[in-house]
Amino acid sequence: MKKRVYLGMIADIMHPGLINIINEGAKYGDLIIGLFTDKAIAQHKRLPYLTYEQRKNVVENIKGVAEVVPQEEWSYAANLRLLKPDYMIHGDDWKTGPDRELRDEAFKVMEELGGEVIEIPYTKGIDSSSLEKEIKGIGTTPDVRLKTLRRLIDAKQVVRILEVHDGLSGLICENLQVKSGFYNEAFDGMWSSSLTDSTSKGKPDIEAVDLTTRMQDLTNILECTTKPIIYDGDTGGKLEHFVFTVRTLERNGISAVIIEDKVGLKKNSLFGTDAIQQQDDIEHFCQKIRAGKNVQVTKEFMIIARCESLIAGKSVDDALERCRAYVEEGGADGIMIHSKEKTGEDIREFCRRFHGVHPYVPIVAVPTTYNHLREEELAQWGIKVVIYANHMLRAAYPAMVKVATSILENHRSYDANDLCMPIKQILELIPGTK
């Protein structure tokens, strides 16, 4: 009876190094590929370019592969204990770096099973990370970008979205990573905020900046980033106009639009009951959602209904009645529930009760006022997408004021040096500057 050999693999970017380790593994027996699922990958690094099914189709047609099974976790332990292979194959590159703990665990499990871990010398000069960097430098297409948000919602416990308002803030969202043990913490996508778009132009947040103008700013972001974008559509405007908004956003590769159930001159929601907040009629708002859904071309584009009941001082019951209608009658792909209460308790009650009826409809939250709550707690409530809706612009303004004040006070810029990036660093920040 042939020995069983286990090899865990992401297989998003195939290269000679991966083919070599497959060939080496097949020499020891029937090679089982544990193919990491999107969910397993997305919790630790970027979402793969190819879906699980696409990657599986590639791997199962490679010579030497006997079987492909899903690996649902970053750890190999569960699959090793389930399949009980005689050998586990891995490249020797995991001897150092963040994967050392995975290596220790794998050795321990294989020892328990009476098996052996075989480490294959890493293929020098070729690695997925460098190839990924080259691919990322090429950019993306509207079609690929548009589809990514739904994949992230399916794969991740919480999808983390950051407000951006120009190409520079977009690059920060695109590239910033923080290492935390096994994890690479990063933002999953971007929020095109009407508030920060308006404010950056010195205009009030009253829908004074039209779609054409905002698309000019979005184009600057689209040209230097690859991550999905959610567009803040305010009220969506007139129903007849909203259909053109949907077509424009979808054509440009925007993943979703969020529209709020208010009418009349827009006032920012965080004013709450201090400003007149008039909500739309349920049936009319459902008609607007349906009109948008009817004209979209792809099934991946999302229209998310934002409910302002809690902002307007109404009850959770009112919010639930509206949101159930927006999904059941309007066809909304998700719900954004908004509140200015600092405890977040009204949001938690809403999530519990809404998911009792619609457990698979994603809920979006903007925890600006209840920002003491961590993403992990919001996820326990059933919140799937967390938007940090205005922080990049709010951070930029005071920093610029400090520099300008220093120059005025000291009659020179020398004293502001520590408040500014070095010229060399900012020149190197933008790809292609050198």
Side-chain angles (χ1 to χ4, degrees):
M1 184 177 177
K2 290 188 73 173
K3 302 287 188 180
R4 287 158 60 86
V5 186
Y6 188 81
L7 170 61
M9 186 174 284
I10 292 175
D12 191 32
I13 304 173
M14 296 301 296
H15 55 76
L18 296 181
I19 299 300
N20 176 62
I21 199 169
I22 288 173
N23 290 337
E24 289 298 317
K27 293 177 182 178
Y28 292 89
D30 288 332
L31 182 63
I32 303 169
I33 300 294
L35 191 62
F36 286 86
T37 62
D38 284 4
K39 184 175 182 180
I41 299 167
Q43 302 299 332
H44 297 266
K45 56 197 305 184
R46 64 157 181 84
L47 191 70
Y49 297 109
L50 302 178
T51 66
Y52 175 83
E53 290 302 323
Q54 289 170 329
R55 292 182 286 118
K56 180 174 182 286
N57 188 43
V58 171
V59 172
E60 64 189 3
N61 284 287
I62 295 175
K63 182 181 178 180
V65 174
E67 184 181 358
V68 178
V69 299
Q71 178 156 324
E72 304 280 359
E73 301 174 6
W74 197 245
S75 165
Y76 298 97
N79 268 16
L80 293 177
R81 290 193 172 104
L82 176 67
L83 298 169
K84 298 178 173 57
D86 300 285
Y87 302 105
M88 177 186 174
I89 300 289
H90 200 286
D92 65 0
D93 55 312
W94 65 343
K95 291 181 178 179
T96 59
D99 286 342
R100 283 179 299 176
E101 293 181 35
L102 280 178
R103 179 179 184 270
D104 293 342
E105 181 185 53
F107 269 85
K108 182 179 178 182
V109 173
M110 288 301 293
E111 185 179 358
E112 291 174 6
L113 298 173
E116 181 184 350
V117 178
I118 299 172
E119 295 176 309
I120 305 298
Y122 193 69
T123 304
K124 303 297 182 184
I126 300 176
D127 66 88
S128 297
S129 297
S130 60
L131 291 173
E132 178 192 337
K133 188 175 181 180
E134 291 183 23
I135 292 172
K136 195 172 183 180
I138 295 170
T140 188
T141 65
D143 181 62
V144 170
R145 189 197 297 259
L146 189 155
K147 295 176 179 178
T148 306
L149 181 62
R150 282 195 186 270
R151 289 183 61 206
L152 282 164
I153 289 172
D154 289 340
K156 299 200 71 173
Q157 184 181 36
V158 171
V159 178
R160 182 189 290 134
I161 304 294
L162 181 69
E163 170 263 320
V164 300
H165 52 274
D166 57 16
L168 188 59
S169 56
L171 280 173
I172 294 172
C173 181
E174 177 81 8
N175 297 314
L176 186 64
Q177 291 189 13
V178 176
K179 287 193 176 296
S180 177
F182 285 166
Y183 298 88
N184 273 330
E185 302 285 1
F187 292 101
D188 300 303
M190 306 171 217
W191 169 243
S192 173
S193 161
S194 64
L195 167 62
T196 59
D197 276 1
S198 301
T199 304
S200 65
K201 294 174 177 57
K203 293 185 177 181
D205 184 26
I206 56 172
E207 297 185 87
V209 182
D210 63 13
L211 174 65
T212 302
T213 304
R214 291 186 64 192
M215 279 307 307
Q216 292 172 354
D217 292 334
L218 265 177
T219 298
N220 294 332
I221 297 166
L222 290 165
E223 286 179 346
C224 64
T225 65
T226 63
K227 292 181 177 180
I229 298 175
I230 302 175
Y231 183 83
D232 179 2
D234 288 325
T235 65
K238 292 183 178 180
L239 184 150
E240 294 83 0
H241 298 169
F242 179 56
V243 296
F244 292 102
T245 299
V246 169
R247 286 174 174 168
T248 298
L249 296 175
E250 184 181 29
R251 183 172 62 249
N252 282 276
I254 307 304
S255 295
V257 61
I258 297 182
I259 55 172
E260 58 193 82
D261 56 357
K262 290 196 296 194
V263 293
L265 181 65
K266 179 191 171 180
K267 296 290 185 181
N268 190 280
S269 296
L270 295 181
F271 284 121
T273 54
D274 293 338
I276 297 174
Q277 306 281 350
Q278 184 179 350
Q279 280 185 282
D280 198 354
D281 173 77
I282 292 177
E283 178 53 35
H284 181 263
F285 194 65
C286 286
Q287 287 176 3
K288 187 181 290 187
I289 298 169
R290 282 199 302 271
K293 294 302 296 179
N294 287 338
V295 300
Q296 70 181 68
V297 176
T298 67
K299 66 177 189 281
E300 287 84 10
F301 185 79
M302 300 179 71
I303 298 178
I304 299 170
R306 168 172 159 175
C307 181
E308 296 288 285
S309 293
L310 304 180
I311 289 289
K314 298 180 182 178
S315 66
V316 172
D317 287 336
D318 183 84
L320 287 165
E321 179 187 1
R322 285 177 167 273
C323 291
R324 288 168 182 166
Y326 299 160
V327 171
E328 295 165 9
E329 300 171 27
D333 299 294
I335 293 295
M336 175 176 157
I337 184 66
H338 207 17
S339 172
K340 68 181 183 67
E341 294 301 321
K342 294 182 178 180
T343 64
E345 287 302 313
D346 51 353
I347 298 290
R348 178 161 66 170
E349 181 186 351
F350 172 89
C351 292
R352 178 181 60 80
R353 293 173 62 186
F354 180 79
H355 270 165
V357 178
H358 292 290
Y360 302 111
V361 174
I363 296 176
V364 181
V366 181
T368 304
T369 55
Y370 48 101
N371 60 4
H372 61 288
L373 298 169
R374 294 183 179 274
E375 294 163 2
E376 293 81 359
E377 187 170 355
L378 298 177
Q380 290 175 357
W381 297 359
I383 290 169
K384 197 66 180 179
V385 179
V386 174
I387 299 177
Y388 298 96
N390 44 49
H391 297 77
M392 296 294 275
L393 188 65
R394 285 168 57 196
Y397 183 82
M400 290 189 290
V401 169
K402 283 182 181 179
V403 171
T405 301
S406 175
I407 293 172
L408 284 176
E409 289 177 343
N410 298 291
H411 298 189
R412 63 181 185 179
S413 63
Y414 174 83
D415 307 271
N417 279 351
D418 291 343
L419 300 173
C420 301
M421 288 176 66
I423 290 293
K424 186 176 185 294
Q425 188 177 348
I426 200 165
L427 288 174
E428 293 174 344
L429 180 66
I430 310 301
T433 299
K434 287 187 176 180

